[in-house]
Amino acid sequence: MTTHPHLNTLIIGSGASGLAAAVFLHRLGVKDIAIYTEGLQHGTSLNAGSDKQTYYKLGLYGAEPDAPVLMANDLSAGGAMHGDIALIEAAASPLTFANLVHLGVPFPHDEFGQYIGYKTDHDPKRRATSCGPYTSREMCLALTAEAKRLNIPIRENRIAIELLTDRNRCRAIGAIFVNTAKSALAGQCFETVQAENIIFATGGPGGMYADSVYPVQHTGSIGLALEVGAQAANLAESQFGLASTNFRWNVSGSYMQVLPRFISVDDQGVTREFLRDYFPSLPDLLNAVFLKGYQWPFAAGHVPGSSLIDIFVYVESMERGRQVFLDYRSDPPDFDFNALNQETRDYLTKSGAHLGKTPLQRLVALNAPAISLYRDHGIDLATEPLPIAVCAQHNNGGLAADLNWESPNLKHFFPIGEVCGTHGVTRPGGSALNSGQVGAWRAAQAIALKYQGKTINDADFLAQAKESHQRLSQPELMATPASPDWTQDRLILQQRMSRAGAFVRTRETAIQARDEARKQFSAVSNCNLTTLANAVDIAETIRNRQFCLAQVYYLTAIIEQIENMGSRGGAIVLDPKNGNHIHPALPPHWRLKPENAAWRQKVMLCQSDPDGNPVIAWQDCRPVPCPDGWFETVWKSFRESRQSL
Ligand SMILES: Cc1cc2nc3c(=O)[nH]c(=O)nc-3n(C[C@H](O)[C@H](O)[C@H](O)COP(=O)(O)OP(=O)(O)OC[C@H]3O[C@@H](n4cnc5c(N)ncnc54)[C@H](O)[C@@H]3O)c2cc1C
């Protein structure tokens, strides 16, 4: 095992948040840092996009009043979010946004330098902005260029497989990586890094779901931190929505507004337009499809309403085993434009799309780049239907953090970006990207102010590292040879989560899935890694173990949600005995358990007990602070806080 020199701060992950943290640290004078990452081409930020990928920040345009407290109120309005964290995300948003602008991210402004905005979901003002479909990619490219300009070391082909902590698991002290460019022989691929601080920026749990619109280049690693006991928050709160699956892309906005046909095909090749089962007439069906364009994410609050479409797709695919497609090639024979409601007709007419004789022709008029996007990925909407599913897109929850984005129970460990669960039940669109930048800034500031010295005991570190290394390389401890095909295990765990932990939840399914995840965790934990010849296979097998563990945590949180909170945010709970039947054409077990709104006042925490089992606890939401500050006194305490460090 190669032991690397001590770093002040190890940044794991090179998405928009990890890169920003490295840049901020360097600027604050903390230069003994390095980014360790699977690779600069990996991650959600670089590879995901949508119609108009949104960045949320304080209003910077026109005469519409805005202020940090107003924005914090909106960030936390969905409940289960701490108001002080919301205030920090609001207050630091102009600063971190300006950093991106300075680095050349092309956010649009007018001739006076005002950054124009638009309203996004859960946003009463026009705070959202965008650089187009690939905002987060633009951010990554600009931040990577800056990190390189600053000569910040970026170590690619490194997959973190274990976090090192002190013996009491009170603080982080380093990490072990698999270097996938090295041989697996005799443990040559393992690298150990000692670090005073870890910024953990490994992104959302994309690899945990089979139906996922996270890019294929992104897997995620929250299980690494759960394994060492880091506290998590709001794990049950995630976002799901309709997306194409051959090329992963949200089919929101124009893709719905041009009124494609929803068709399903069984294993005999028999096709049907299944939405017809649920609507009294074709115009009603098409008006609902149009509305779905505006209301893309699945929302418990839109049942009944636009989110019924997601449910109908789920029933057709998950319960009836048919594959579902969007078909842009033709309209149904009874299609009549004049029978659509006024909103739909007006929108299509104003966009010049009303003359189109097919959904595709309307899409050409409304948003031609939406067609080229698929063509660029080898899919021709003119000749083939598009396979879709209701896919996992974002985790509002994640690891818990304090006001400096430091883990409350694992010191010197800073989860930032999507792996950090600062959001509540709902969040304004675009606040994920803002939160990642603000978290990076706060963590960097905290490290620069209080954690620059070396406090790790070398002997303790070496003892911990040795113990971990022995676990990794002692074949006699593990009876079963590891399967060289880790993809099979991955698929099993992904399908389990899409079945039991996605947007439709029932108690029995979730409990069964949690028990299966436990069993799979034990099986993968007990396999002998030294039988694997390839470094990637070793890393991904360990990742399977961590995903199984993460599933036990997520499903425990979901079971708690099912039992107490009911349907809320991005998921519904079915209660076949006592719930309210959702729609007359749905099977009888589709009965919705209503929300108990009292739980929106609390954040759900989840942390391991001494035996490694997840335990749920509740924390009252802290309110949005609204101090009536006075410049001289705030300045004085600001100066004093710096002197005391
Ligand atoms: C389709 C889609 C559309 C979206 N649209 C929006 C939007 O409009 N607005 C918005 O705010 N948000 C949006 N999001 C969410 C947002 O894009 C993500 O939350 C954000 O990009 C995550 O950034 P990150 O830096 O936390 O993680 P990522 O960008 O995912 O980066 C994670 C990094 O960690 C690395 N990594 C992971 N595990 C390991 C390991 N074990 N060892 C080493 N490296 C590791 C990865 O390789 C990668 O470099 C969208 C997400 C999707 C999927």
Side-chain angles (χ1 to χ4, degrees):
M1 177 163 52
T2 322
T3 301
H4 280 250
H6 172 274
L7 287 173
N8 173 271
T9 302
L10 163 67
I11 298 130
I12 306 179
S14 58
S17 61
L19 289 162
V23 167
F24 287 136
L25 278 166
H26 192 278
R27 286 206 200 126
L28 290 165
V30 185
K31 298 189 179 168
D32 180 17
I33 61 176
I35 299 173
Y36 275 61
T37 172
E38 286 169 279
L40 286 170
Q41 299 307 315
H42 288 249
T44 302
S45 310
L46 189 80
N47 298 294
S50 58
D51 231 14
K52 194 161 66 176
Q53 203 191 14
T54 303
Y55 191 97
Y56 197 66
K57 45 115 198 73
L58 200 71
L60 296 170
Y61 187 86
E64 195 170 11
D66 204 358
V69 168
L70 298 180
M71 180 169 158
N73 287 337
D74 295 331
L75 284 171
S76 56
M81 179 177 190
H82 289 305
D84 44 12
I85 289 188
L87 183 58
I88 293 167
E89 289 191 352
S93 71
L95 180 147
T96 47
F97 176 70
N99 176 53
L100 296 169
V101 170
H102 285 306
L103 294 179
V105 180
F107 287 111
H109 62 78
D110 70 5
E111 68 268 40
F112 307 107
Q114 300 191 94
Y115 283 87
I116 183 77
Y118 56 90
K119 272 191 193 174
T120 175
D121 37 342
H122 305 292
D123 170 31
K125 294 183 179 281
R126 296 183 299 160
R127 297 194 182 104
T129 181
S130 175
C131 317
Y134 291 111
T135 303
S136 56
R137 173 184 297 214
E138 297 280 359
M139 291 163 60
C140 271
L141 295 177
L143 288 160
T144 303
E146 180 67 355
K148 287 186 172 166
R149 192 185 70 77
L150 296 172
N151 288 321
I152 296 171
I154 301 176
R155 312 255 181 258
E156 297 192 76
N157 305 313
R158 307 303 201 283
I159 301 183
I161 51 159
E162 207 165 308
L163 295 174
L164 297 172
T165 67
D166 65 351
R167 199 154 286 285
N168 300 324
R169 291 198 163 170
C170 290
R171 63 159 297 177
I173 57 173
I176 299 182
F177 292 84
V178 165
N179 181 337
T180 54
K182 284 206 174 161
S183 159
L185 270 180
Q188 288 172 56
C189 59
F190 297 123
E191 288 182 10
T192 305
V193 178
Q194 184 186 140
E196 191 66 25
N197 308 296
I198 294 178
I199 290 192
F200 194 65
T202 55
M208 200 161 69
Y209 299 88
D211 292 333
S212 168
V213 68
Y214 284 89
V216 283
Q217 299 90 336
H218 180 69
T219 308
S221 293
I222 191 171
L224 255 175
L226 297 173
E227 222 168 32
V228 293
Q231 189 179 71
N234 287 339
L235 287 181
E237 310 298 340
S238 289
Q239 188 167 301
F240 304 86
L242 285 171
S244 54
T245 50
N246 48 0
F247 158 56
R248 294 180 174 191
W249 196 256
N250 297 345
V251 284
S252 54
S254 331
Y255 291 109
M256 290 290 142
Q257 286 156 343
V258 298
L259 313 174
R261 293 166 89 163
F262 280 66
I263 58 170
S264 71
V265 182
D266 68 11
D267 47 13
Q268 309 297 313
V270 178
T271 302
R272 70 188 206 105
E273 268 186 85
F274 61 95
L275 287 187
R276 296 247 185 186
D277 296 356
Y278 302 100
F279 292 91
S281 71
L282 182 63
D284 287 317
L285 184 165
L286 294 172
N287 294 332
V289 170
F290 179 83
L291 184 62
K292 188 78 203 135
Y294 283 118
Q295 299 182 345
W296 175 77
F298 177 82
H302 290 154
V303 178
S306 57
S307 287
L308 281 173
I309 297 221
D310 305 76
I311 292 177
F312 302 151
V313 169
Y314 178 93
V315 170
E316 200 68 5
S317 52
M318 288 289 203
E319 294 197 348
R320 301 196 172 131
R322 301 170 66 96
Q323 191 163 9
V324 176
F325 298 85
L326 292 182
D327 193 342
Y328 292 88
R329 296 171 298 177
S330 63
D331 283 325
D334 49 343
F335 179 88
D336 175 5
F337 183 81
N338 294 319
L340 300 172
N341 68 18
Q342 184 147 8
E343 187 191 6
T344 311
R345 273 186 289 127
D346 282 356
Y347 185 89
L348 291 172
T349 306
K350 281 183 189 154
S351 313
H354 57 302
L355 299 175
K357 297 277 176 259
T358 63
L360 190 74
Q361 287 180 10
R362 292 190 284 274
L363 194 53
V364 170
L366 194 66
N367 182 359
I371 302 169
S372 343
L373 180 90
Y374 276 97
R375 202 173 296 123
D376 293 346
H377 290 86
I379 298 158
D380 185 359
L381 298 181
T383 59
E384 55 191 310
L386 188 64
I388 57 162
V390 185
C391 292
Q393 193 231 8
H394 184 264
N395 190 194
N396 282 3
L399 298 171
D402 68 9
L403 303 189
N404 290 318
W405 269 249
E406 185 174 12
S407 165
N409 69 328
L410 189 63
K411 294 296 151 194
H412 297 261
F413 182 73
F414 294 82
I416 64 165
E418 191 175 330
V419 77
C420 181
T422 57
H423 309 286
V425 178
T426 58
R427 60 177 179 90
S431 55
L433 290 175
N434 175 60
S435 175
Q437 297 302 291
V438 172
W441 167 240
R442 292 290 287 195
Q445 265 193 323
I447 289 170
L449 285 172
K450 59 178 187 172
Y451 285 159
Q452 288 216 52
K454 182 175 176 197
T455 56
I456 296 176
N457 177 313
D458 284 337
D460 283 352
F461 172 79
L462 286 173
Q464 292 296 315
K466 193 170 164 202
E467 222 173 81
S468 295
H469 183 63
Q470 277 171 351
R471 259 202 317 277
L472 289 166
S473 56
Q474 275 190 341
E476 63 276 15
L477 296 181
M478 313 296 182
T480 330
S483 157
D485 189 4
W486 54 267
T487 58
Q488 285 305 316
D489 271 332
R490 183 71 51 87
L491 190 64
I492 290 169
L493 72 87
Q494 288 174 332
Q495 286 175 339
R496 173 165 58 233
M497 201 61 181
S498 283
R499 192 179 66 243
F503 75 109
V504 177
R505 300 173 177 180
T506 66
R507 190 166 178 277
E508 293 66 33
T509 326
I511 290 174
Q512 190 192 349
R514 183 199 54 195
D515 296 346
E516 283 169 18
R518 274 205 182 110
K519 276 195 200 129
Q520 197 184 7
F521 172 75
S522 304
V524 185
S525 303
N526 282 324
C527 58
N528 176 0
L529 296 172
T530 60
T531 58
L532 297 175
N534 180 305
V536 172
D537 293 342
I538 293 180
E540 295 299 344
T541 303
I542 293 174
R543 246 184 177 164
N544 279 347
R545 179 188 84 210
Q546 290 160 351
F547 266 131
C548 289
L549 182 77
Q551 282 193 350
V552 174
Y553 278 67
Y554 276 83
L555 288 162
T556 300
I558 284 170
I559 292 163
E560 187 77 17
Q561 182 219 2
I562 291 170
E563 290 175 350
N564 290 313
M565 292 119 80
S567 306
R568 72 179 203 181
I572 52 166
V573 174
L574 298 188
D575 179 353
K577 280 200 187 121
N578 304 312
N580 309 318
H581 197 207
I582 293 174
H583 187 280
L586 280 171
H589 64 279
W590 278 85
R591 295 182 171 277
L592 182 127
K593 177 170 179 165
E595 175 179 6
N596 178 347
W599 292 97
R600 292 220 186 193
Q601 312 304 318
K602 292 177 190 295
V603 171
M604 189 207 283
L605 301 176
C606 188
Q607 194 179 327
S608 68
D609 67 11
D611 298 325
N613 297 311
V615 177
I616 300 288
W618 295 96
Q619 197 174 37
D620 288 338
C621 291
R622 300 185 295 268
V624 174
C626 196
D628 187 15
W630 182 255
F631 182 81
E632 274 66 23
T633 51
V634 172
W635 188 19
K636 182 164 177 275
S637 76
F638 173 77
R639 290 195 312 265
E640 286 168 359
S641 68
R642 259 133 228 262
Q643 275 159 14
S644 66
L645 289 164

